[in-house]
Amino acid sequence: MSSAMSRAVYARRGRIRRAVAGLGSAAAIVALSGCGAIGGGEDSADKATENLRTAQVLSVTLHLTDPKNAMASAAAETGEEEMAATVLDSAVTITVDPSGDHGVGETAAAAPSDPVEALKQSGAVEFSYTHAGKQVLAVRMIDGVVYAKADLDEMSAISGQDGANPLADMPESMSSVAEGLKAGKWLTLDLPAVAEQHPELKAMLTSEGAGGLSPDAAIQLQTELVEALKANSTQTVTKSGDAMTITMKVQAKAFLTAAFDALSATGITGLDSDFDDAKEEIDGLADGTVDVSLTVQDDHITTAALDLHSVAVLTGDEKNQKTTDGVTLIADIDDSADPVTAPAAEDTVDLAPMLTSMLSGLTGAAGMDGMDGMDGMDGMMPSTDVEPTS
């Protein structure tokens, strides 16, 4: 097999695995939506989904477990033990803190049509990456104000390279950014304020925001995904003490097809080609199920789990079946998480002055039409076949 053909085959397998992994994630999300997809009349499950739906702040932490050492053993064979250990010791946390008093699963009022006002009312979200229990990277957005932080020492420990080294090449105009990162401060940018000062950015926000879902369309999509999950899965409920586990076996081809059809019908712009590509990949799946489980304790959903081996089986990739034996993607769920808050002002470095300076420079350069403003410079520029660029 030629190298080009090999790359094509592996790329296709990668797309299939991502499609099926997306299936498992979609199944878990739909099951967690609180719309009756789980429970089968179980009182505790009904209360748990309602508690999740009305949660004021929701936090989900994703990480892998490898109880049979399948990943570790495969990594040892290829000399990638350190990489595997890093992955298994890492976690990503997503925290959602909606604006207003509605819960994460409740329908909010339609966002303002003005993109700046929509940002100001967007609520809060945080993405955080931790390794060995220590936070390495974090990004927050609170009503349009972005905060980002990196622990350079932890990044150095993980990569084996000096995480501060790239900062040495930063221009003098960005010295405050470099020093802030070294000091462990948050970089911050008030997007609504910057957009109001720069109409060109507001125009970009308007363009990027087009094609979103209205509240009614979001409800319709959620309902159709729930119905698709019910129609294409079986559920088994087991109990142990005050804990209950709900295991779902989801028919991959049927659910993926129904899910993509529902998403396509929403009319979200820019996704047609992605949907077409994904549908082509569904035909490459073997018949079978993806296994997803939910744990309910004290009337709260505490864990969702996706069996990655069941995904590998459907893709037909024997190597990945061996590598993923027993490997599970775990989502630890906290429906009473702490709110996402802004760091103290003294712990931040404002990026707005630097961004404003950059935008002003670009605007000035773009405003020079042809050779306007360059009178008196004839003969000072070398002759070239390449047109000068700003």
Side-chain angles (χ1 to χ4, degrees), residues 7-245:
R7 288 193 297 271
V9 170
Y10 284 115
R12 182 175 183 275
R13 288 175 178 174
R15 291 194 297 271
I16 293 175
R17 287 194 293 272
R18 287 192 293 272
V20 184
L23 157 70
S25 301
I29 290 170
V30 170
L32 296 175
S33 65
C35 296
I38 67 170
E42 293 283 350
D43 185 56
S44 181
D46 292 340
K47 290 180 180 177
T49 52
E50 180 63 15
N51 286 334
L52 189 73
R53 188 180 70 86
T54 59
Q56 294 294 300
V57 184
L58 175 66
S59 178
V60 179
T61 299
L62 303 172
H63 59 97
L64 294 174
T65 61
D66 184 22
K68 298 182 180 180
N69 291 319
M71 274 185 65
S73 298
E77 294 177 2
T78 58
E80 298 176 329
E81 298 97 327
E82 290 188 8
M83 180 182 294
T86 296
V87 170
L88 290 170
D89 210 10
S90 296
V92 175
T93 300
I94 305 168
T95 303
V96 179
D97 185 354
S99 62
D101 296 327
H102 65 277
V104 295
E106 297 174 325
T107 302
S113 57
D114 182 88
V116 173
E117 290 304 316
L119 276 175
K120 291 179 179 179
Q121 301 177 33
S122 60
V125 63
E126 179 180 54
F127 299 87
S128 174
Y129 165 63
T130 59
H131 177 255
K134 297 180 180 179
Q135 188 180 79
V136 181
L137 297 168
V139 178
R140 299 175 185 173
M141 187 166 77
I142 304 172
D143 292 331
V145 181
V146 178
Y147 303 90
K149 182 180 180 180
D151 188 324
L152 300 182
D153 291 337
E154 285 301 315
M155 292 177 66
S156 299
I158 293 171
S159 66
Q161 300 178 357
D162 184 359
N165 190 52
L167 301 181
D169 297 327
M170 280 189 171
E172 182 63 27
S173 60
M174 298 181 65
S175 60
S176 62
V177 175
E179 294 305 316
L181 285 170
K182 291 177 182 178
K185 292 188 175 184
W186 293 81
L187 306 182
T188 182
L189 184 64
D190 187 333
L191 292 179
V194 173
E196 287 176 333
Q197 295 173 7
H198 298 276
E200 67 275 20
L201 290 182
K202 186 173 181 179
M204 290 173 59
L205 291 173
T206 302
S207 175
E208 291 175 359
L213 286 179
S214 67
D216 289 342
I219 292 175
Q220 179 64 27
L221 175 61
Q222 186 183 60
T223 300
E224 291 181 6
L225 290 176
V226 168
E227 292 304 318
L229 183 60
K230 286 181 177 179
N232 298 291
S233 67
T234 58
Q235 298 182 14
T236 303
V237 178
T238 57
K239 296 181 179 180
S240 177
D242 60 353
M244 176 174 63
T245 299

